[in-house]
């Protein structure tokens, strides 16, 4: 570690790699509401935040575990779950009076096909205006068509591998080949929430 009279210790969260203070500064200057998306190893968290000098205020939020009450039986951090969580958070944000937001993806590096953009697409489809540029999001991946096709292929080639790979889906009572229709059912139940 550097030493000397001119050395200035960086902020703790910067040293830990948790906060990019330059990005944070630009959000403060914009004074707009933010949609904050965080993806963990198991879950997706989408929050709409409002800037406050004393600390950010969470206006509305959705967690991928909440999808279970709408009947979701798939994984809680795949592309479909990201979209549904973003859609749910967007609906709640609209009820709270948020119509426009800026995307805050934190320290995540934006890449083509990233799950962060599926959550943003869900929030946009719910009616919240979020500028994301020309990012392309595959509708087949949103509904889980790629998972269904892969499950069909693996089941024909190696039934044991199929049972091993999709054991959590089967345990929850969902045939992975039916994921697109299951997604549509869950989305319609989310849309029906008042």
């Amino acid at each position: 570690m550097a030493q000397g009279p001119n050395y200035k210790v960086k902020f703790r969260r910067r040293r830990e790699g948790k906060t990019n203070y330059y990005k944070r500064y630009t959000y403060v200057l914009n004074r707009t509401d933010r949609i904050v998306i965080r993806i963990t190893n198991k879950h997706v968290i989408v929050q709409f935040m409002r800037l406050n000098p004393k600390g950010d205020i969470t206006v509305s939020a959705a967690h991928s575990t909440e999808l279970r009450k709408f009947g979701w039986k798939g994984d809680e951090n795949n592309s479909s779950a990201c979209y549904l969580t973003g859609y749910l958070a967007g609906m709640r944000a609209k009820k709270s009076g948020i119509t426009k937001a800026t995307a805050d993806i934190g320290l995540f590096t934006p890449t083509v096909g990233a799950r962060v953009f599926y959550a943003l697409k869900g929030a946009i489809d719910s009616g919240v205006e979020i500028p994301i540029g020309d990012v392309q999001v595959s509708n087949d991946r949103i509904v889980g068509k790629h998972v269904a096709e892969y499950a069909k292929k693996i089941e024909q080639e190696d039934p044991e591998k199929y049972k091993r790979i999709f054991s959590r889906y089967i345990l929850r009572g969902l045939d992975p080949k039916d994921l697109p229709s299951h997604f549509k059912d869950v989305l319609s139940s989310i849309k029906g929430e008042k």
Side-chain angles (χ1 to χ4, degrees):
M1 189 160 113
Q3 297 176 354
N6 295 331
Y7 181 73
K8 184 178 177 186
V9 178
K10 290 181 168 63
F11 292 127
R12 179 185 56 83
R13 289 188 60 86
R14 177 69 189 104
R15 289 192 316 263
E16 294 172 353
K18 292 181 178 178
T19 301
N20 180 339
Y21 282 99
Y22 178 75
K23 270 189 188 178
R24 175 89 180 136
Y25 178 68
T26 59
Y27 294 135
V28 170
L29 289 180
N30 287 341
R31 297 191 181 278
T32 59
D33 296 328
R34 303 187 332 266
I35 177 172
V36 179
I37 299 157
R38 300 296 182 258
I39 299 175
T40 68
N41 288 339
K42 292 185 178 182
H43 305 289
V44 180
I45 305 151
V46 180
Q47 300 173 316
F48 282 85
M49 308 291 280
R50 185 162 286 150
L51 188 72
N52 190 313
K54 294 181 180 177
D56 293 349
I57 298 170
T58 304
V59 178
S60 67
H63 197 281
S64 59
T65 55
E66 294 178 72
L67 299 176
R68 295 277 178 235
K69 72 178 183 182
F70 296 102
W72 180 247
K73 295 178 182 174
D75 285 341
E76 293 179 349
N77 71 341
N78 62 11
S79 302
S80 303
C82 288
Y83 178 87
L84 291 171
T85 307
Y87 193 91
L88 182 61
M91 284 183 53
R92 290 176 179 169
K94 279 179 56 182
K95 288 179 189 172
S96 301
I98 293 179
T99 56
K100 223 175 165 180
T102 304
D104 178 357
I105 59 174
L107 297 174
F108 185 80
T109 304
T111 55
V112 176
R115 292 175 291 167
V116 169
F117 296 117
Y118 288 91
L120 285 172
K121 173 77 169 144
I124 290 168
D125 288 350
S126 71
V128 180
E129 186 183 330
I130 304 168
I132 60 170
D134 59 351
V135 176
Q136 300 297 319
V137 179
S138 168
N139 288 329
D140 289 345
R141 290 188 76 84
I142 287 175
V143 298
K145 190 175 179 185
H146 64 293
V147 174
E149 290 172 356
Y150 181 68
K152 191 180 291 185
K153 178 185 166 206
I154 292 295
E155 188 178 37
Q156 291 171 354
E157 293 174 1
D158 188 357
E160 288 300 317
K161 186 176 180 182
Y162 169 80
K163 288 178 184 174
R164 188 175 65 248
I165 291 175
F166 295 104
S167 61
R168 293 190 336 196
Y169 282 87
I170 294 167
L171 187 67
R172 293 184 204 122
L174 174 64
D175 185 356
K177 297 184 294 296
D178 298 334
L179 188 60
S181 60
H182 177 65
F183 172 86
K184 290 174 184 168
D185 293 341
V186 173
L187 182 60
S188 62
S189 68
I190 289 174
K191 287 179 180 178
E193 182 192 47
K194 296 295 177 196

